[in-house]
Amino acid sequence: MAPSPPDAPVPDPLDGTSGIQVLDRMVSLLGLLGEAGAGGQQLSRLAAALGLSVSTAHRLLAALEHHGWVERVEGGRRHRLGAALVALAGQAADGTGLRRLCRPALARLSGESGETTFLIVRSGLNAVVTDRQDGAYVIESLTQGVGGLMPLGIGAGSATILASQTPAEIEAVLAANAARYRQFGSSAEQVRRRVEQVRSEGYLMSDDSLIAGLAVIGLAIRPPGRAVTAAIATNFIASRLDAAARRQFLARMRQEAAMVEASLAVPAAILRNPRPGES
């Protein structure tokens, strides 16, 4: 076969790939970058994980970077999720109205205590920070801010959400996330013990945080007649709150969660008891 002329166009590695396949690969890239966290991931490892050539992965990442969904770190050698996704995460969180409903509760808890509070929501095998109200002092967290992603079971709020699922669902999530837990310095067995603690006590209160010196409290939001998909959580310096102060904070969390749950129950009640003349 005669060689191609010098000015012949270079074959596009995405030629012949349907738009759905390209979209699927981009979503997979975003998922991998979400798992990698703030440190990002190398191009070659992303390509290998998806079975793509480096050039193809580079082109997909470049397109995502153009829209602000991906950014580079360490002089361009690694990629991580971009800031534009934070805005999308906020819009998605408000899609159900849950963040808007819970924000006053978080603000009251943080204002009264000076501690940082979080709204955590389940997304498949993950948990996402959909709102954060900072307290009186800066505190480190596993997920940093809104849009932070972690495997379901990691973190106080995430663990309480997982503990509220059926036993079969819990085991399926533990098996699926086992390898990812190790990236957070934990294991499936450690997560299982924490889940068992939540199922026994109805909440999580522990000094066994993945960040040294921090303690955590997590409480699930339980909408009447619906699956648990969200939780309120707080991280705080362990020495700041003694046992009595922690119990008091938990009691306030329960009050706020109860008000949120009551608000979530209103639409169902209206449907069950329509006004006269309404169907």
Side-chain angles (χ1 to χ4, degrees):
M1 179 180 295
S4 300
D7 58 349
V10 177
D12 188 329
L14 292 179
D15 278 353
T17 302
S18 73
I20 294 297
Q21 288 174 313
V22 173
L23 177 60
D24 184 64
R25 289 171 177 176
M26 284 185 163
V27 171
S28 297
L29 276 173
L30 291 173
L32 290 173
L33 291 174
E35 294 173 10
Q41 186 57 274
Q42 294 176 345
L43 170 62
S44 58
R45 294 194 175 185
L46 292 169
L50 294 178
L52 301 175
S53 69
V54 171
S55 60
T56 298
H58 179 268
R59 290 194 62 233
L60 293 173
L61 286 168
L64 293 168
E65 186 178 359
H66 173 73
H67 292 284
W69 292 8
V70 167
E71 61 187 25
R72 301 192 186 201
V73 291
E74 291 188 9
R77 290 163 39 194
R78 301 172 74 90
H79 295 75
R80 67 184 175 196
L81 294 180
L85 285 176
V86 175
L88 288 179
Q91 293 165 1
D94 273 340
T96 62
L98 183 61
R99 187 174 72 158
R100 185 169 57 255
L101 187 62
C102 291
R103 176 160 287 181
L106 297 184
R108 285 189 291 267
L109 290 170
S110 292
E112 293 170 12
S113 66
E115 308 298 339
T116 299
T117 54
F118 303 84
L119 174 63
I120 311 296
V121 174
R122 180 180 182 180
S123 177
L125 294 173
N126 301 306
V128 183
V129 179
T130 56
D131 204 358
R132 168 178 173 152
Q133 293 293 308
D134 289 325
Y137 58 99
V138 177
I139 190 168
E140 185 180 3
S141 73
L142 291 172
T143 55
Q144 300 305 318
V146 174
L149 185 77
M150 71 211 92
L152 192 62
I154 293 294
S158 178
T160 59
I161 295 172
L162 179 57
S164 303
Q165 312 308 310
T166 65
E169 176 75 359
I170 291 172
E171 291 304 318
V173 171
L174 290 174
N177 282 342
R180 297 175 62 201
Y181 292 148
R182 291 194 290 272
Q183 299 173 16
F184 288 79
S186 188
S187 67
E189 284 306 312
Q190 288 175 311
V191 174
R192 180 181 282 106
R193 287 195 294 271
R194 180 164 281 192
V195 163
E196 290 171 352
Q197 177 186 347
V198 177
R199 289 176 71 84
S200 172
E201 300 177 355
Y203 60 90
L204 179 64
M205 183 185 295
S206 175
D207 282 359
D208 184 22
S209 172
L210 295 178
I211 299 177
L214 296 187
V216 296
I217 302 176
L219 184 69
I221 297 172
R222 302 178 181 279
R226 285 184 273 171
V228 171
T229 59
I232 297 173
T234 182
N235 296 347
F236 55 92
I237 298 173
S239 59
R240 271 180 56 88
L241 300 181
D242 60 17
R246 295 181 192 193
R247 287 195 296 271
Q248 183 178 6
F249 192 90
L250 174 62
R252 282 291 294 117
M253 289 176 68
R254 281 175 161 159
Q255 290 173 349
E256 295 292 351
M259 287 191 287
V260 171
E261 291 162 358
S263 297
L264 290 171
V266 169
I270 292 175
L271 289 175
R272 287 195 301 270
N273 301 290
R275 296 173 183 173
E278 293 182 344
S279 58

